[in-house]
Every structure is written in C-alpha cells, then in structure tokens.
Amino acid sequence: MSAVDLALFLTVIGSIVLFGGAAALALGWAFKSGQFENFQHGSQSIFGPDEPPGEPTDAFPGEPAPRP
Amino acid sequence: MPAPLTSEMLEANRARSAAERAAIDASCRGPVLAFAVSAVFWLLMGSVLALIASIKLHSPYFLTGSAELTFGRVRMAHLQAVGIGWASLATVAAALWQMCRLSRAELIYPKILYLACALWNVGTLLAVFGIIFGDGQSVEWLDAPRYAPPFFIAALGIVVAWVVAVFRRRREPHVYVTQWYILGAVFWFPWMYLVTVFMIFWAPATGVVQPIVNWWFGHNTLGLWFTPVAVGTAYYLIPKIIGRPIHSYYLSIIGFWALALFYSWAGMHHLIGGPIPGWLASASTVGSMMMLIPVLAVAINHHMTMRGHFHRLRYSPALRFTVFGAIAYTAVSVQGSFEALKDFSEVAHFTHYTVAHAHLGAYGFVTMIYFGLFYYMIPRLTGREWASPLLIRVHFWCAAVGITVYFVALSIGGWWQGRMMNNPDVPFGKIVTYLLPYLFTRSVAGVLLTVGHLAFAVSFIMNLAGWGKRRSGGPTFFVEPGG
C-alpha cells in the first residue's frame, strides 16, 4: 500500500468515524439537555411577545395582512 | 397563582421583545446584506450564462466565434455561478440571519464576515472566469480551476466558525428544528468539500473511486448543504408568517434525523449502470428510497401547518415563494427516490429528464425558498418595505411559470429521448432533431426566469437605495435600534 493509498484509506475511515461519532454525540447531547422533552414549547420558541402566535407577520407592501 | 399581566406590562414585554429582535437584526445586517447582494449578482450572471448555454443547444451557430463561449465552458461556468455563487451565498445569508434570530444572540465581530464574503466572491470570480478562459476541471460540481478552492475553504472556515459562535452564545435554550438543519449543513459541507478536493485533486484516488467521490459530493451538495438550510428556512418562515406553530414538532425532528441518516447514501444512484460495485449502487438506491421518510415528514408537516391558511398566499409574497418551494421539495424528492430505481434509470439516465429534475430541486425548491426568505428578511434588515408590489408579482409569476414550463418540457422530452436511445433502430440524429422543440421551450422558460430575476434585482436595489417606505407598525412590530 503506497503512502497516498494509506492517506486515502485513513481519510475514508476517519470520515466515517467523525461523521458517525459527531451524530451520536449530538443526539446524546440533545437527549441530555432536554431538547426532546417539551415539543409544545419547542414549536413556540420562534414566537415572542412582539410576534405572538395568531399574528401574521408578512404582507404585500402597502397592504394590510388579513386578520386571523 | 401569578397575578395576570396588566396591559401596560404586556405592552412593555412586547416592546422589550421587539427591541431585542431589532438589535439582533442590526448586529448581522451588514454581513448578511453583503452575502445577499453578492448572491443576487451571481444569480444574474448565472442566468445570462444559462441562457447562452440553452440557446446553443437548439441553435448551434449562436456565438460560435470564440472558444470562451463554447457550450462546454459556458455551462460549467453557469453551474459555478449559480451553485457556488447564488445558492451558496444565499445559504450563508440564510444560515447567519436565522441562527442569530433563533439563538436570540447578536453577531460578534461582524467585520470578519466581510472578509469571508470577499474571499467567497473572489473564489467564485476565479471559478467562473477561470472556466471561461479554459482552466476548468472535468469534474462535475468541482469544475472550478485549482486556484479557486483555497478561497472557498478559507471563507467557509470563517462562516462555520461564526455560525457556531452565535449558537454557543445563544440566550434561547431550546434548539429549534431550523437550527438543527443549519448546524448539520455547516458541519457536513466543509467536511465533504475538503475530503472531495483531497481525494480528487490533492492526492487523487485511482480508478472508479474518483467518480464515486465526485458523485458523493455532487449529490450531497444539494442534499447536505442547500437542502438542510432551505428546509430549515421553510420551517422558520411558514409558521412565523402565518402566526401558527408547526403542526407536529415531533415529526420535524424525526425528519431532520432521518435526513442526517439517509441522505449521504444517495449519491451513487448517479452512477447506476456505471463501472462501480453493484452493491454500492444498490445501497444508494435503498438510501434514496429511505429518503421518503424525511421527505414525507416535511411534506405532511408543511401541508398541515398551512391547512386553513392557504388564502394567505394572496397576501404574503414571502409565503408565496416559500410554499412553492416547499411543494417543489416534496415533488423533487419523491421523484428523485423513484428515479434512483434501476429500471427507471435505464430510461431517464443521461437524458434531459435528469436536467429537469436537477432544476426542479435547485430552482423550484431551493431558489424559491431563498426568494421567500429574502422577501421576508431584507425589509427587516434595511428597515424599508419593498418599493413595488408589481415587481414582486412579476418576479413570482415569471419564476413560477418559468420553472414549471422548464420542468414539464424537459421531463417529457427527456423521457422520450431515453426511450429512443434505448432503441437501437432509432438513428441518433433523429433523437437530436426530436428534442429541438423541447430545448427551444427550455430557452423560453429561461427568458421568463431571467425576467423574474431582473425584477427581483431591481426591487432589491430600490430597497437598498431606500426607495421603499420606512417600516413601522404593520404586521411586524418593528423597532429601529435605539428608536
């Protein structure tokens, strides 16, 4: 096996380990930090007091957004 | 039991939240606008190159006077302009802005990102003009000359570092599904790009390993770079615009992890029938079919979130583009899964059918969602409304009709092209002649798309020049920083 072949082999194997390992770590962290616990809260996290659920936030310029 | 909030307290909460959002938008305004402006510039460049390439396929004597404008070079330059230029720069703008907003964190040291933007643009310039002047590489998606990748790698390194830095400074403890998609994209793409450049250019692998790596990268550029950020953008924009949380948040998380698990298998279906190990193509076909899980998760979620709110498409330009893109995502992904089947590939492979499929993905899905994002994001960054509703309507209808005509014409023409190519009794010249009306229709669609892009660019320039009304009140409670 030449040096280039070895480098390529290590790249492929290293990538598989890195990719799989990173996914496993991310999943583990998400479970540990409670990311998968309260989905209701999670889905609401993009809203805030100034842009609450129930209020549309986009319209053609000069035209009012229809009320819900 | 806590005491109910008084109206004054509610108003104070609202003002505080609006001020925080405005401060976050202000912190990333400069870099995000720089990436967005460059993206639109490369979209226009890519459109011109695409038109030249398209016309040449049905009028072969068009612009034959120079080697620089031959089909091979112009088509490769188009791919770099729209792939590395438009779509990637828009991806970066989308990732930065949404990561700041969803993390509820300001962007730090924004000036470094101007350097990243400049490096990326220099890289794209070298890629596009290097190819036109004859330095292109014969590797699909990596056609850029060898002197361009260092610029992309440096720029990408800065962008990734800044996205991760914003995430680490987050004030919002919950990681929204869009953030998962963005984090996935900024982890996967640099890794893919480095491995591919290493294995194809720096320490070239021998034999069929090269096309295997090439198509692993080519397919995953769409699947693990553009797709996560575009799908994540739809997951942010649709609920935000209509003011309704995502239908099933649980399903959205399943969709992300299923994409992470299966998408990277799919690239080898581009080499079905080629000289690669049979198991590799079969595994890729299985991976492609498994992609139906995340795709259907996204499709069900977006549809159910929109249910009862489709009338809002009349009122919101951003929603119109985004929903078009989300529908195209379902269509192109389901089509792609079945296209990976070997029997299907026997006909569709190496024909214009694949070109139609690629454009439904890159344009109908990714580009349309980024248009939707720009229509939502830019006024919030510049503090100005879009100046002309007419230009937005022209843009939408040219883009929607253009990509539909493009897809239908090339799908029909490409399918019959494949059927005829499989029949040894049909002379090749007859197939070429048969395709002419379909290729001409593609050019007409290309003109429509380009007109739409011009309308978009004019709108964008007018907005940057401050021609639109200053945003105040209205559907979004927008507060100027310090105002």
Side-chain angles (χ1 to χ4, degrees), chain B residues 222-480:
Chain B
L222 184 73
L224 296 178
W225 176 231
F226 301 141
T227 296
V229 179
V231 169
T233 300
Y235 266 123
Y236 178 63
L237 287 184
I238 294 174
K240 192 78 181 156
I241 292 172
I242 65 176
R244 181 189 199 187
I246 203 76
H247 170 71
S248 167
Y249 195 67
Y250 175 75
L251 205 54
S252 72
I253 298 292
I254 296 277
F256 168 76
W257 286 101
L259 178 129
L261 197 57
F262 298 124
Y263 208 117
S264 66
W265 299 27
M268 292 313 102
H269 66 218
H270 285 268
L271 296 173
I272 286 174
I276 63 167
W279 65 267
L280 206 54
S282 298
S284 194
T285 304
V286 171
S288 303
M289 292 307 285
M290 294 302 279
M291 274 304 294
L292 287 172
I293 297 171
V295 169
L296 292 179
V298 172
I300 291 169
N301 234 347
H302 287 167
H303 179 80
M304 295 302 284
T305 305
M306 277 298 294
R307 205 165 76 151
H309 292 263
F310 281 101
H311 64 283
R312 292 195 193 288
L313 295 174
R314 283 177 57 201
Y315 306 105
S316 164
L319 189 65
R320 219 183 254 194
F321 281 97
T322 308
V323 168
F324 188 102
I327 293 170
Y329 172 62
T330 308
V332 75
S333 303
V334 172
Q335 182 195 25
S337 291
F338 287 97
E339 218 173 320
L341 296 174
K342 290 180 181 175
D343 288 344
F344 202 106
S345 269
E346 271 181 23
V347 177
H349 213 174
F350 303 125
T351 69
H352 288 292
Y353 188 92
T354 310
V355 181
H357 171 69
H359 280 79
L360 184 63
Y363 196 98
F365 157 46
V366 174
T367 295
M368 290 298 262
I369 286 187
Y370 286 158
F371 285 150
L373 173 76
F374 278 32
Y375 278 114
Y376 191 81
M377 173 179 78
I378 300 299
R380 285 156 180 80
L381 291 175
T382 61
R384 297 273 176 180
E385 290 288 0
W386 295 101
S388 165
L390 177 68
L391 282 176
I392 301 176
R393 290 194 170 94
V394 168
H395 179 204
F396 177 77
W397 288 110
C398 283
V401 174
I403 189 59
T404 306
V405 170
Y406 186 113
F407 176 72
V408 171
L410 281 199
S411 294
I412 296 172
W415 184 257
W416 287 105
Q417 178 192 12
R419 294 285 300 269
M420 287 193 280
M421 280 164 67
N422 284 347
N423 182 352
D425 295 331
V426 181
F428 194 77
K430 192 179 169 187
I431 305 173
V432 175
T433 317
Y434 170 81
L435 281 171
L436 283 176
Y438 296 103
L439 296 173
F440 182 78
T441 309
R442 190 249 294 265
S443 290
V444 173
V447 170
L448 270 175
L449 296 175
T450 308
V451 170
H453 299 163
L454 286 171
F456 178 49
V458 171
S459 258
F460 200 171
I461 292 168
M462 288 166 79
N463 189 292
L464 292 174
W467 287 12
K469 275 190 198 157
R470 189 166 284 283
R471 283 178 65 82
S472 60
T476 308
F477 190 68
F478 185 86
V479 177
E480 278 290 292

Side-chain angles (χ1 to χ4, degrees), chain A residues 35 46 50-51 54 57-58 60, chain B residues 17 240 243 315-316 380 476:
Chain A
Q35 295 295 329
I46 58 171
D50 61 322
E51 293 179 346
T57 59
D58 190 54
F60 272 97
Chain B
S17 175
K240 192 78 181 156
Y315 306 105
S316 164
R380 285 156 180 80
T476 308

Side-chain angles (χ1 to χ4, degrees), chain A residues 8 11 15 19 22 27 29-30 35-36 39 42 46-47 49-51 53-61 63 66 68, chain B residues 14 17-18 21 102 170 173-175 187-188 191 198 203 240-241 243 249 257 312 314-318 376 380 386 475-476:
Chain A
L8 293 171
T11 304
S15 293
F19 184 84
L27 204 55
W29 173 83
Q35 295 295 329
F36 300 147
F39 287 114
I46 58 171
F47 300 103
D50 61 322
E51 293 179 346
E55 276 190 23
T57 59
D58 190 54
F60 272 97
E63 297 174 17
Chain B
R14 199 175 160 90
S17 175
R21 205 185 298 279
L102 292 166
R170 68 192 182 281
H174 179 74
V175 182
F187 173 70
W188 293 321
W191 164 67
F198 177 73
K240 192 78 181 156
I241 292 172
Y249 195 67
W257 286 101
R312 292 195 193 288
R314 283 177 57 201
Y315 306 105
S316 164
Y376 191 81
R380 285 156 180 80
W386 295 101
T476 308

